[in-house]
Amino acid sequence: MARGKFKTLTEQMYYILLCLCSECCGVDVMERVRGMTGGRVLIGPGTLYSLLESFLTEGFIRETRVEGRRKSYIITPSGREMLAAERERLQTQLRDFEINYREEEGK
Amino acid sequence: MKEKKTRRMMLYQLNDGEAIAAYLEKMARKGWLLEKFNNILTFRQIEPGEYKFAVTYFPEGSVFDPAPTEGQETYIDYCRAAGWELAAVRGPIQIFYSEGSDPIPIETDEAQKLAAARAVMNKTMVLAYVLLLISFLLNGHNWLDDLLTNPLYTLSSPLSLTMLVCCWALVVILGFFLIDHWVWCARSKRSVENGGACLPVSTKSRLAATYCIFALTALMLVGILAQTADKSESPGIIWILVGTLAMYALAFYALSLLRKHGRSRGAVKWGFVAVMIALVAALGYGSVRLVESGALQRKSGETYTDSRGHTTRIFRDELPVTLEDLGYTVTPDDHCSYRERIQSTPLAAIRSYEQSPHAVGSRLPLLSYSVTVIKWDALREFCWDKASKPEVVRLGGYYATLGEYVDTDPAPWGAEEAKFKDFGSTYLLLYPDRIVTVRLESNRDELTAEGIATFTQFLMNIE
């Protein structure tokens, strides 16, 4: 099924936004996401650059500091809404699973 | 000690990143690390080792950038933090290497990877190939038009024939590259939308097409050299070829200088446009001057200026049939030029002859004739069919027909078929292995039976 841009978040988009709930330098996002997920989710540097640029354009994150070429970002209210919507979607999925899986088990 | 370097031709298509990376990894195992990426790849010597390479596409980059843009620098910083070092960059195409055996891939989101590849290819490869395709289509159409209107000359001329073949072959190859790329984009898009990865490309067929382009370029050069190999042709085309190649070399040199000293992408871009305009104007002006000066003409012969001040060249080639053989009295005051032209290809060989009086007021007719030997029956029939069609020329805004051939008795000529048209008093004759044209352009005279007999004797003996 096709995923429209930002209608739902990919795992990598989700963790980048989650990571930027606290201010973080772009280059450190890769390492922080790796730490958050125990190495399960890896973000390539090219993908990170493209997604940060897209999030900036869409207003999901904003620049907080620029030190030379090191730029720091933080999530915006609009980004938080996006993240919350994704959390809601995932929770609904989980709830649906719990209900249907238990019903199937109970049969 | 000077660092050892080696250079290799770039054989891969820009959209075949995986094949480029695999090739660079192979070179690194042999002890050569990529340093510069262009049509020629430059490598520096290193300790042989296992390196991982990745070709990435950066849509914001441009070949006119004097240095990596701010965004590109950030991108490179991110890559460095992930263990990737920049090996070389060419506008929007960047090549990274990693000494680690299993680094995080630079692109981990297939949709982003596909979008970047498509954006970069659209403004580099696709744009260039579409422009080249249009150029070769227009050229191919012109050469095809020449074949249909003047098949005897086109099939006998190495230049015309190779250009005809090469232009259309290049149209097919460029079309293949474009369709192959668009099909790959569409299939990869479907795959990514369904949660899969970008699809692999067929490197073998792309490499085969690239080798075909090299072979066609060599064929064009052979055609140009063969065209000028005969003494009857001028070497002018070689000078125009040399001038064009020099123009391209200067353009590339100018671009590298502009990038080195330019301050912004706009300055480099418009500087390059100005240089290109100057170079094209210089090439055009130089060509016109060369043509006017006569430097591109065949060197033999002498210059003659008639009483009206018109200058031309007079040749003294041996012709098998002359106006003198046909009973005309030719004096030095007629300033007749005797010119023979010989051209041949594996398909056909033409010998054409012309005796033309250049003195103003000369009462001699212009005599021209050609013998084209065509071994293949089907090709000879094709040429006969096309050559006997009325010649159509464009005069201003409308088309005019230059006389129409009518059947005439072939017996006096000893030919299988014969046609004649009033316009220029031209005979078209078909023999078992050749097609002959004879033209005696005169307001007063026509070829007599004796004249025809004289021609027949010579025409069949020409090898």
Side-chain angles (χ1 to χ4, degrees):
Chain A
M1 193 66 150
R3 280 186 162 191
K5 198 178 182 188
F6 302 135
K7 274 186 190 164
T8 62
L9 297 179
T10 62
E11 211 168 29
Q12 299 184 69
M13 291 173 183
Y14 179 81
Y15 278 105
I16 292 175
L17 283 181
L18 192 60
C19 172
L20 292 177
C21 284
S22 58
E23 187 189 52
C24 181
C25 177
V27 78
D28 295 333
V29 170
M30 285 181 287
E31 210 38 55
R32 208 189 259 194
V33 169
R34 186 203 284 262
M36 280 164 82
T37 61
R40 189 180 60 81
V41 176
L42 298 175
I43 299 173
T47 300
L48 174 68
Y49 178 85
S50 307
L51 289 178
L52 287 178
E53 287 297 303
S54 298
F55 288 159
L56 267 176
T57 310
E58 296 291 330
F60 295 158
I61 59 170
R62 65 178 170 82
E63 254 178 39
T64 50
R65 265 186 302 155
V66 180
E67 291 164 324
R69 290 208 302 261
R70 285 177 68 88
K71 289 179 187 169
S72 296
Y73 305 93
I74 196 160
I75 196 165
T76 61
S78 149
R80 279 184 188 277
E81 271 175 35
M82 191 71 216
L83 199 57
E86 183 63 17
R87 174 178 162 272
E88 184 59 36
R89 194 182 68 83
L90 292 172
Q91 273 187 334
T92 309
Q93 272 185 15
L94 194 62
R95 206 164 43 238
D96 291 345
F97 174 84
E98 294 291 339
I99 294 165
N100 290 289
Y101 191 72
R102 281 195 190 140
E103 274 178 6
E104 284 296 312
E105 266 190 335
K107 277 182 187 172
Chain B
M1 208 170 91
K2 204 180 169 189
E3 203 174 35
K4 259 193 165 182
K5 297 203 177 180
T6 187
R7 287 175 179 80
R8 295 282 188 279
M9 183 84 91
M10 165 73 178
L11 296 173
Y12 300 95
Q13 293 295 302
L14 292 179
N15 56 352
D16 199 354
E18 283 175 26
I20 297 172
Y23 173 70
L24 298 176
E25 283 161 15
K26 194 173 113 189
M27 287 298 285
R29 281 195 291 276
K30 288 181 184 172
W32 296 103
L33 184 68
L34 180 76
E35 193 178 63
K36 262 189 201 166
F37 170 65
N38 222 309
N39 292 328
I40 303 285
L41 302 172
T42 308
F43 298 85
R44 68 183 161 85
Q45 197 167 33
I46 51 159
E47 277 296 311
E50 286 296 330
Y51 287 75
K52 191 95 183 146
F53 278 83
V55 178
T56 63
Y57 304 105
F58 187 74
E60 296 161 39
S62 162
V63 286
F64 299 112
D65 288 335
T69 59
E70 194 190 323
Q72 212 159 10
E73 295 275 18
T74 306
Y75 189 107
I76 294 165
D77 285 345
Y78 288 178
C79 288
R80 194 168 289 133
W84 293 94
E85 286 297 328
L86 182 70
V89 60
R90 175 182 165 191
I93 297 160
Q94 308 164 135
I95 300 182
F96 291 90
Y97 69 94
S98 168
E99 291 182 63
S101 58
D102 196 19
I104 301 174
I106 292 180
E107 296 287 354
T108 47
D109 183 312
E110 292 294 319
Q112 298 283 345
K113 182 178 166 182
L114 179 63
R118 284 178 73 169
V120 168
M121 286 308 125
N122 280 346
K123 70 177 193 179
T124 54
M125 191 189 82
V126 172
L127 178 67
Y129 284 3
V130 166
L131 291 177
L132 280 172
L133 187 77
I134 292 170
S135 151
F136 284 120
L137 259 177
L138 292 174
N139 272 300
H141 173 265
N142 284 343
W143 291 113
L144 189 63
D145 195 43
D146 280 357
L147 174 72
L148 298 178
T149 51
N150 196 350
L152 299 178
Y153 177 79
T154 307
L155 289 176
S156 310
S157 157
L159 181 68
S160 302
L161 192 62
T162 50
M163 287 298 177
L164 174 71
V165 171
C166 292
C167 282
W168 285 105
L170 285 168
V171 166
V172 171
I173 292 172
L174 291 170
F176 161 75
F177 280 140
L178 287 170
I179 290 169
D180 181 52
H181 174 67
W182 287 325
V183 168
W184 176 82
C185 285
R187 291 180 62 210
S188 292
K189 186 173 174 236
R190 225 174 11 247
S191 167
V192 169
E193 282 173 351
N194 288 312
C198 294
L199 296 175
V201 297
S202 164
T203 303
K204 273 187 186 168
S205 59
R206 291 177 188 205
L207 266 181
T210 306
Y211 284 125
C212 282
I213 291 180
F214 290 144
L216 289 170
T217 310
L219 185 64
M220 273 197 241
L221 279 175
V222 168
I224 289 170
L225 292 174
Q227 184 80 14
T228 54
D230 192 273
K231 66 176 175 56
S232 61
E233 286 296 321
S234 83
I237 183 82
I238 291 184
W239 286 112
I240 290 172
L241 178 74
V242 169
T244 310
L245 291 177
M247 190 189 84
Y248 280 113
L250 278 172
F252 276 110
Y253 182 63
L255 182 58
S256 68
L257 274 185
L258 284 165
R259 270 201 299 238
K260 203 171 171 185
H261 301 291
R263 292 198 172 167
S264 67
R265 180 186 293 181
V268 175
K269 191 177 186 176
W270 291 112
F272 182 67
V273 169
V275 168
M276 281 307 287
I277 290 171
L279 284 173
V280 170
L283 185 69
Y285 178 75
S287 302
V288 170
R289 291 290 301 158
L290 275 172
V291 169
E292 281 177 356
S293 69
L296 296 184
Q297 284 182 4
R298 187 182 150 191
K299 288 295 170 204
S300 60
E302 60 213 54
T303 304
Y304 167 67
T305 305
D306 65 22
S307 57
R308 288 178 186 154
H310 179 69
T311 301
T312 187
R313 286 190 93 77
I314 303 278
F315 300 100
R316 304 271 178 223
D317 298 338
E318 283 285 324
L319 304 193
V321 180
T322 60
L323 287 169
E324 292 87 328
D325 295 325
L326 300 177
Y328 288 91
T329 306
V330 179
T331 67
D333 293 339
D334 290 308
H335 292 283
C336 264
S337 174
Y338 301 75
R339 185 161 194 188
E340 176 189 39
R341 283 192 172 101
I342 306 164
Q343 288 185 343
S344 69
T345 67
L347 299 182
I350 189 168
R351 280 176 177 267
S352 50
Y353 306 93
E354 185 178 284
Q355 184 177 358
S356 48
H358 288 287
V360 176
S362 169
R363 293 176 66 81
L364 288 174
L366 181 142
L367 173 67
S368 64
Y369 50 100
S370 71
V371 179
T372 311
V373 177
I374 308 164
K375 298 278 184 232
W376 294 347
D377 291 345
L379 205 55
R380 199 166 54 255
E381 274 171 34
F382 165 81
C383 289
W384 176 255
D385 180 51
K386 295 294 171 199
S388 51
K389 289 243 162 58
E391 192 181 343
V392 178
V393 291
R394 190 172 175 163
L395 296 169
Y398 60 93
Y399 291 90
T401 303
L402 301 179
E404 243 173 271
Y405 279 112
V406 291
D407 288 336
T408 187
D409 183 13
W413 294 95
E416 288 178 347
E417 283 184 59
K419 289 176 184 288
F420 177 75
K421 71 174 173 184
D422 282 334
F423 188 86
S425 297
T426 309
Y427 284 93
L428 185 66
L429 311 161
L430 178 68
Y431 291 91
D433 69 338
R434 62 193 62 194
I435 293 173
V436 171
T437 61
V438 178
R439 183 176 175 191
L440 186 73
E441 207 172 299
S442 164
N443 294 330
R444 300 172 294 119
D445 309 321
E446 280 187 10
L447 269 177
T448 59
E450 291 79 29
I452 291 173
T454 309
F455 260 111
T456 311
Q457 189 188 344
F458 281 106
L459 293 174
M460 289 311 292
N461 292 328
I462 295 170
E463 288 300 320

